[in-house]
Amino acid sequence: MIRTFTLHIEPVPSEREEKKYDVLLNGNAGCLDLQHGLDELARRLISMNRLTSLSITRTFDFEVAGFWINRENIIKIVDNLPKTCVSLEIDTRDNEDNRNFTHPHLCPSIRRILPRLQYLRLRLNNFCPDLCGLGYNPASPTIVTEAFRPVEAPHLKQCIINISRKEIRFGMSSSSICGDFYSRHYGPCEALAMHLRAMVRSGNATKLERLWILDFLPKEESEGAISYQAYVRRDICAERSLAFPIRNINRYRKDSWLIRVPVAADIEDAEYVEDLLSPSWALQDLAEGESWQENLTGVRLPAPVMGRTGLSSILPVLTREQFGTETNLSCRLWDNENIVGTRLLDVRNGDLMERTGIVESTPNGWIRLKRSLIREDNVTS
């Protein structure tokens, strides 16, 4: 009997004989095969009465014209989940069918199964507060009205909602609010945060350990300052946020990104940080605290469940020390911090909706010459 089910969706390029117009309009042969396969999975799920965990993720390959994940397929799968399934992950990596912006959205289906879930991780093109309650007002998405009724989620332990749709190397963009494509310039972050906070304050989810929204901050334009992109973990229960600076250092090594993260997952421990290096696609796993993990066989599970199996995560990550030993290389941030003897870049601990940009600090008595730091008294007039 199947207890865990992991599906990795790999994009399939179009065949040469396929007509380009038909491919863009209806999907290529691989896309149509995927739709049939997902329909079959939805049909079979009904009888999987021992299933406890389902993970559906799109791989981190480049986009392929004419290949997408049909949201109606995903809705059928969620609606057909057996009651035994208490862990759910859906990550479409910005590869959903966006030909029709008004097609049915997934959030009500997630809301209906939330009362029995223990672990949930979502990264989708669209979100709205229908995910966590009834009575949400789309005309005022960030306002929690008196009509809003948070869903009961008595078993929910961890819920991770990732609204940063693309991998950083493909150009970041945020999810949009369901049914409103043109909201993408600000995204669903505040609307989700306010309504999820209402769910927490209602006392309807008393077992929550993690309720995080993963957001993204672009570089801040600032003359004379070194600005960083950042992933932002918005902790709804603590009503605080942590911003993790990231920088591409692949001039030293192909697809190597630095992310500065707290040593501990708790917000109050943000003072103690470490630098990790990984491919671009793994950055979000790190920013999410590796809440879901993948083992050598490709199975994906919530981290606490994976821990009970005795198997290890295979995320390709190096510490700063390991990177230095393996490559004998450094980066400008580390060089500057070694010169001045203090940390120049922090993991920012801020308010829940903090959106201030991340910049590298310049200590008193030092000035920047391009990207290097030199003492003011060493500067000749």
Side-chain angles (χ1 to χ4, degrees), residues 26 82 91 126 152 160 216 249 303 359:
N26 301 310
D91 186 340
N126 306 89
E152 296 272 353
I160 311 297
F216 178 80
I249 61 170
V359 296

Side-chain angles (χ1 to χ4, degrees), residues 168 214 231 246 257-259 276 278-288:
I168 181 65
L214 190 70
Y231 282 112
I246 59 176
W257 286 74
L258 180 150
I259 180 170
L276 300 176
S278 75
S280 57
W281 60 265
L283 289 172
Q284 297 190 56
D285 294 80
L286 296 171
E288 292 178 9

Side-chain angles (χ1 to χ4, degrees), residues 142-191:
T142 62
I143 297 175
V144 181
T145 66
E146 292 184 0
F148 183 71
R149 295 291 178 266
V151 68
E152 296 272 353
H155 306 293
L156 191 62
K157 298 178 181 179
Q158 294 187 9
C159 176
I160 311 297
I161 298 175
N162 188 331
I163 65 171
S164 56
R165 287 163 51 143
K166 291 178 179 288
E167 311 305 334
I168 181 65
R169 62 183 172 140
F170 298 148
M172 290 304 301
S173 64
S174 175
S175 303
S176 55
I177 292 179
C178 297
D180 184 9
F181 176 77
Y182 297 103
S183 71
R184 290 181 66 178
H185 67 284
Y186 60 84
C189 186
E190 187 173 358

Side-chain angles (χ1 to χ4, degrees), residues 23-41:
V23 163
L24 295 178
L25 185 64
N26 301 310
N28 65 20
C31 178
L32 298 177
D33 287 344
L34 174 63
Q35 291 179 31
H36 294 317
L38 292 178
D39 269 339
E40 180 65 15
L41 173 60

Side-chain angles (χ1 to χ4, degrees), residues 77 115 120 132 252 286 300 357:
I77 287 172
L120 174 65
C132 60
Y252 301 120
L286 296 171
R300 289 185 60 83

Side-chain angles (χ1 to χ4, degrees), residues 72-356:
E72 291 184 357
N73 287 136
I74 301 298
I75 290 173
K76 289 179 185 177
I77 287 172
V78 173
D79 288 344
N80 285 355
L81 274 181
K83 293 182 179 180
T84 55
C85 186
V86 295
S87 301
L88 175 65
E89 177 186 40
I90 304 173
D91 186 340
T92 60
R93 290 185 188 267
D94 195 37
N95 202 187
E96 294 177 43
D97 177 8
N98 279 326
R99 295 171 300 165
N100 178 5
F101 302 132
T102 61
H103 56 59
H105 62 292
L106 181 59
C107 296
S109 294
I110 296 294
R111 184 189 65 237
R112 286 191 285 270
I113 66 171
L114 208 55
R116 68 174 186 261
L117 290 183
Q118 296 179 15
Y119 300 97
L120 174 65
R121 178 180 178 267
L122 300 172
R123 178 160 61 151
L124 306 167
N125 285 27
N126 306 89
F127 289 102
C128 76
D130 275 342
L131 182 146
C132 60
L134 292 167
Y136 149 69
N137 180 12
S140 302
T142 62
I143 297 175
V144 181
T145 66
E146 292 184 0
F148 183 71
R149 295 291 178 266
V151 68
E152 296 272 353
H155 306 293
L156 191 62
K157 298 178 181 179
Q158 294 187 9
C159 176
I160 311 297
I161 298 175
N162 188 331
I163 65 171
S164 56
R165 287 163 51 143
K166 291 178 179 288
E167 311 305 334
I168 181 65
R169 62 183 172 140
F170 298 148
M172 290 304 301
S173 64
S174 175
S175 303
S176 55
I177 292 179
C178 297
D180 184 9
F181 176 77
Y182 297 103
S183 71
R184 290 181 66 178
H185 67 284
Y186 60 84
C189 186
E190 187 173 358
L192 284 174
M194 296 302 101
H195 288 80
L196 287 169
R197 185 174 67 178
M199 183 183 77
V200 172
R201 290 179 174 179
S202 72
N204 288 358
T206 56
K207 291 186 177 180
L208 271 173
E209 301 163 358
R210 291 182 177 181
L211 179 54
W212 296 345
I213 298 174
L214 190 70
D215 196 6
F216 178 80
L217 277 181
K219 285 184 180 180
E220 184 178 74
E221 295 299 328
S222 180
E223 186 176 353
I226 299 178
S227 177
Y228 284 74
Q229 298 165 300
Y231 282 112
V232 185
R233 180 192 297 166
R234 304 194 185 277
D235 188 328
I236 307 301
C237 295
E239 299 191 24
R240 303 291 295 172
S241 65
L242 284 180
F244 311 124
I246 59 176
R247 180 172 289 279
N248 182 1
I249 61 170
N250 68 2
R251 64 182 181 276
Y252 301 120
R253 181 175 176 175
K254 185 178 179 181
D255 197 24
S256 285
W257 286 74
L258 180 150
I259 180 170
R260 183 159 284 186
V261 296
V263 174
D266 299 321
I267 272 186
E268 54 266 37
D269 290 332
E271 179 182 351
Y272 303 98
V273 303
E274 64 177 340
D275 291 336
L276 300 176
L277 295 108
S278 75
S280 57
W281 60 265
L283 289 172
Q284 297 190 56
D285 294 80
L286 296 171
E288 292 178 9
E290 294 189 71
S291 296
W292 281 67
Q293 298 179 349
E294 184 174 330
N295 65 25
L296 283 170
T297 66
V299 173
R300 289 185 60 83
L301 291 168
V305 179
M306 184 70 79
R308 291 196 290 270
T309 69
L311 300 173
S312 300
S313 167
I314 59 169
L315 200 66
V317 177
L318 296 176
T319 65
R320 174 178 172 176
E321 291 73 22
Q322 291 169 334
F323 181 81
T325 300
E326 188 172 303
T327 66
N328 198 31
L329 294 171
S330 183
C331 71
R332 188 58 56 87
L333 171 64
W334 297 339
D335 294 341
N336 285 339
E337 288 181 332
N338 287 337
I339 290 170
V340 302
T342 188
R343 193 164 74 212
L344 303 176
L345 185 68
D346 286 315
V347 172
R348 192 190 60 215
N349 186 336
D351 295 334
L352 178 60
M353 297 309 301
E354 178 73 54
R355 296 202 63 84
T356 307

